[in-house]
Amino acid sequence: MNIRPRRNRKSAAIRNMVEETQLGVQHLIYPIFLKDGKNIKEEIASLPNNYRWSLDQLIPEIETCMNLGIYTYDLFPAVDESLKDTIASYSYADDNFYLKAIRKLKETFPEIAIMSDVAMDPYSSDGHDGLVVDGRIVNDETLPILAKMSVAQAQAGVDIIGPSDMMDGRVGYIREALDLAGFTDTSIMSYTAKYASAFYGPFRDALNSAPKAGDKKSYQMNPANQREALLEAQLDFEEGADMLMVKPALCYLDIIHLLKQQFPIPITAYNVSGECAMVHAAAQNGWLNYDLAVYEMLLSIRRAGADGILTYFAKDFAEFNKK
Ligand code: PBG
């Protein structure tokens, strides 16, 4: 035999030297749920090791995470039902606890990057990402609401705006509103190829944000489609997105790979709540090794071409990766 591939695997030193894909904590974005109040740290039943935090509890947690090397956070608000309405007006209200918390976090930790989510669902009494009129999710009427929400978040100090709503034209509309308000340095990471997925369940539990009627298939993409992701990405790129996200990650590694080859800007992937819950459930049953499964999943997302990964595993990974 002239060629023996096993020679390149014969010791850890050689395996590490020829390793093709790097995965480090610098690639991870940590999604965190915020709740109004004090002294709150509620574990999310379907998302073990993840909590709804009040700001006072979150500040020391962020410090711990920074010491582990996590510098980018995606924050989501768990909004009280009484504050939800059909037009998501709380999303840009002056006394919005989430916007106040972001301001405080940026003051306390100027070196972190904060990403936000732009969509109506956490604030909407209908539980949809867009405005509902006569049972339909209307596109163009949703855009001004998303723009107001984005400008309010930029004012609070958000570094990266994350439109997750999948309305047509929203990236360009938000970019223009941010620029007009003077926020030319605020980035947009668009949820570009966001599929109507079964894997968002635990997230909707965390925020109690599931649609009250219908599903999200008229705006989120059909999991059967690959070429359509190219169209979405082309539009977001031309409208001024700084980074393009694929969501979920694991069932969509082909989409990550495709966008990485076609677009000259960073590609990110959202390792969503259901993907995280599956690993926990299996590990709790003793059916697989949690640390190894997490590492392999995150590595596969990087190998497919993701530059950054949003993942609920960020802190656990940072901890076991140090050892
Ligand atoms: C809101 C939003 C969702 C997620 C991120 N932003 C839920 C949805 O679209 O229904 C899901 C994230 C996850 O499951 O981890 N538009």
Side-chain angles (χ1 to χ4, degrees):
M1 267 187 269
N2 271 343
I3 300 174
R4 287 180 178 270
R6 288 187 55 192
R7 280 196 285 260
N8 287 340
R9 300 178 203 139
K10 71 183 167 197
S11 69
I14 292 174
R15 285 194 296 273
N16 290 340
M17 188 260 291
V18 300
E19 190 164 81
E20 295 176 35
T21 305
Q22 269 71 48
L23 169 66
V25 72
Q26 74 274 19
H27 301 118
L28 307 183
I29 302 171
Y30 195 12
I32 290 183
F33 301 100
L34 266 168
K35 194 172 167 174
D36 199 10
K38 280 208 158 53
N39 261 317
I40 302 169
K41 182 185 175 185
E42 293 169 358
E43 190 164 24
I44 298 149
S46 49
L47 212 49
N49 294 356
N50 282 267
Y51 303 83
R52 294 182 203 88
W53 302 87
S54 56
L55 180 62
D56 58 323
Q57 301 289 303
L58 182 61
I59 286 177
E61 172 70 4
I62 297 266
E63 197 162 348
T64 305
C65 291
M66 279 173 60
N67 290 332
L68 288 164
I70 303 171
Y71 279 87
T72 311
Y73 300 86
D74 190 4
L75 302 179
F76 294 91
V79 176
D80 195 86
E81 291 302 305
S82 66
L83 296 169
K84 298 184 182 179
D85 61 20
T86 56
I87 58 166
S89 60
Y90 187 68
S91 66
Y92 48 83
D94 284 339
D95 60 349
N96 179 314
F97 82 93
Y98 169 73
L99 299 175
K100 285 196 273 190
I102 288 171
R103 192 165 277 129
K104 178 77 185 167
L105 288 169
K106 284 295 291 186
E107 270 169 32
T108 315
F109 306 111
E111 60 276 65
I112 64 174
I114 293 186
M115 175 170 168
S116 66
D117 201 69
V118 170
M120 289 176 64
D121 54 338
Y123 314 95
S124 156
S125 45
D126 294 305
H128 275 288
D129 295 17
L131 185 67
V132 181
V133 177
D134 298 330
R136 289 175 51 248
I137 290 81
V138 292
N139 194 89
D140 298 12
E141 294 80 354
T142 299
L143 301 180
I145 299 172
L146 301 175
K148 268 194 199 173
M149 198 183 300
S150 303
V151 170
Q153 292 176 355
Q155 264 158 359
V158 165
D159 300 279
I160 306 169
I161 300 282
S164 71
D165 54 283
M166 291 302 280
M167 297 299 117
D168 293 335
R170 91 275 205 211
V171 171
Y173 199 98
I174 290 170
R175 183 70 272 161
E176 195 180 334
L178 289 172
D179 289 354
L180 280 173
F183 296 107
T184 51
D185 287 342
T186 306
S187 313
I188 298 179
M189 181 196 294
S190 69
Y191 288 64
T192 287
K194 177 172 178 179
Y195 288 87
S197 170
F199 293 98
Y200 305 151
F203 175 95
R204 294 177 189 169
D205 290 346
L207 298 188
N208 192 24
S209 63
K212 299 290 184 313
D215 54 39
K216 298 193 174 186
K217 291 181 183 170
S218 77
Y219 45 105
Q220 298 180 350
M221 286 173 57
N222 179 348
N225 295 355
Q226 186 186 66
R227 291 172 59 244
E228 192 181 0
L230 288 174
L231 174 62
E232 286 287 357
Q234 186 69 38
L235 291 169
D236 288 0
F237 179 66
E238 285 168 5
E239 289 173 32
D242 301 285
M243 304 177 220
L244 303 175
M245 186 211 293
V246 175
K247 175 181 173 193
L250 292 171
C251 292
Y252 301 90
L253 296 177
D254 58 323
I255 310 296
I256 297 171
H257 186 70
L258 184 68
L259 296 194
K260 181 61 171 262
Q261 291 174 323
Q262 301 287 330
F263 294 91
I265 54 177
I267 305 298
T268 60
Y270 201 140
N271 177 212
V272 300
S273 58
E275 298 173 329
C276 173
M278 287 194 300
V279 179
H280 276 290
Q284 277 164 12
N285 275 301
W287 295 342
L288 47 71
N289 177 301
Y290 178 78
D291 294 2
L292 293 177
V294 167
Y295 178 74
E296 190 173 332
M297 274 191 170
L298 296 177
L299 188 68
S300 75
I301 299 168
R302 288 272 302 151
R303 195 187 63 238
D307 297 291
I309 307 172
L310 295 100
T311 180
Y312 302 95
F313 296 132
K315 188 181 176 195
D316 289 348
F317 171 83
E319 274 169 347
F320 69 66
N321 198 45
K322 267 193 144 172
K323 287 178 205 152

